[in-house]
Amino acid sequence: MNLADKDRRFVWHPFTQMSEWTEPLVIAGAEGNELIDSDGHRYLDGISSLWVNVHGHRRREIDDAVRAQLDRVAHTTLLGLASVPSIELAERLVAIAPPGLTKVFYSDSGSTAVEVALKIAFQYQKPRGRPERRRFLKLTEAYHGDTLGAVSVGGMELFHQIFNPLLFHTHHVEPRVDALERAFVEHGSELAALIVEPLVQGAAGMLMQPPGFLRAARELCRHHDVLLICDEVATGFGRTGTMFACEQEDVAPDLMCIAKGISGGYLPLAATLATEAIYSEFLGLFGDKRTFFHGHTYTGNPLACAAAMASLDIFARERTLEQLKPKIARLTARLSEHIAPLARVMEVRQRGMMIGIELHRAPGQPYTFEEAIGARVCAAVRKRGVILRPLGSVVVLMPPLSITDEEIDRLVTTTRDSIVEICGR
Ligand code: PLP
């Protein structure tokens, strides 16, 4: 049995209709911004291995940092013990985070970072005598992960509807300032927190928030004594052009969730950052039962923290964010030259390195779900040596920040040729 056969036999893949999983592409290696399959074919990693890779694969500095940590210890627990890399990384995360976020609670995925934020926001209300503040306000079409708390504050019909009976009650609002103002008037007094993906709602199809929305959300939260949770799981670590998306609207949230790019896309690591004001409500004697009773086994894993610090070193040494500006501009130019004019392209949405190309048959005529147009375009892209993964009829491009000029051009022209092949001109 070859590897593909064994995969079909033994592995159940996420977000995948396994009955249609016919010819799995088996990745056996990588170099720079390319993935290499088990037959030695190379593919440009156009979605950063699901929005995580930052500086390319097999970066020597990150590889070395993980190896060096392996020579010390691979894993110890943060329950009752501290570890060198988790301490050092926490200090560095606080230094780069928006002001006021001073405490780092580690976990291991974007979903767990969100669960932690929700539970902190909920528990925080009790000691300060506001137990009636127990609801969450979320954005329509939000996506914060797949665990049940994260799904409760999500709003993607396709992924979430079936689990409705298992979810807690929330309020939702369109990402518009007037709608948000109304929601606060209506529900403000019962809210523990508003949770948002800042600037870009990624999984919803790279939906861009109107300028000023995040700022307004910050002000409304402050005015109504509601916590602001910014889920920077997708947007963090340079993806929108700044280290965190919040910075672009000069916003400092009360709780910030980070994952994906935190370890350079190497190892599972996440964190929920909190303000001193929140943290202090959890302090007291053990008998006071203010302890935050939450934790995951691999929380703050030393190998992952070592990778994260090596990634931050690269950001500093190579001035990654500065180098990114001309790349973003090149992407914008290439997209408007090659993609936007296509008749089947309804809209190109871009914020930094996060891009959604929405396809339609014609104005007012969307492709149906069953047509799986995005998936078909991505299959055509793959034949041309690029890996993409769609969101419905939105083709997503989210290359590593390390993508080169030539690779940008290849990414865009390959996508154009594939859209033309599958959708016509
Ligand atoms: N939050 C956001 C904004 C995300 O985009 C994602 C994943 O795409 C998550 C949370 C969940 O992260 P994970 O898949 O690591 O649980």
Side-chain angles (χ1 to χ4, degrees), residues 7 25 84 92 118 153 172 194 227 236 259 275 290 307 312 372:
D7 179 83
L25 180 66
V84 177
R92 293 183 65 175
L118 298 175
V153 292
H172 60 269
L194 163 69
L227 297 177
T275 61
R290 287 182 167 211
L312 291 179

Side-chain angles (χ1 to χ4, degrees), residues 14 25 30 52 62 81 94 118 132 167 188 246 262 289 297 372 415 418:
L25 180 66
V52 297
I62 306 181
L81 295 176
V94 166
L118 298 175
E132 74 284 1
L167 308 181
C246 291
I262 185 175
K289 297 192 179 140
T297 306
T415 304
S418 305

Side-chain angles (χ1 to χ4, degrees), residues 51 109-112 114 143-145 197 231 233-234 259-260:
W51 314 359
S109 74
S111 304
T112 56
V114 168
Y143 179 79
H144 297 287
E197 295 160 78
D231 175 353
V233 167
K260 287 196 186 279

Side-chain angles (χ1 to χ4, degrees), residues 69 73-76 78 83 85-86 106-107 267-269 297-307:
Q69 184 58 41
V73 58
H75 183 69
T76 59
L78 290 195
S83 76
S86 65
Y106 287 111
S107 60
L267 285 158
L269 181 67
T297 306
Y298 280 100
T299 280
N301 172 260
L303 294 175
C305 289

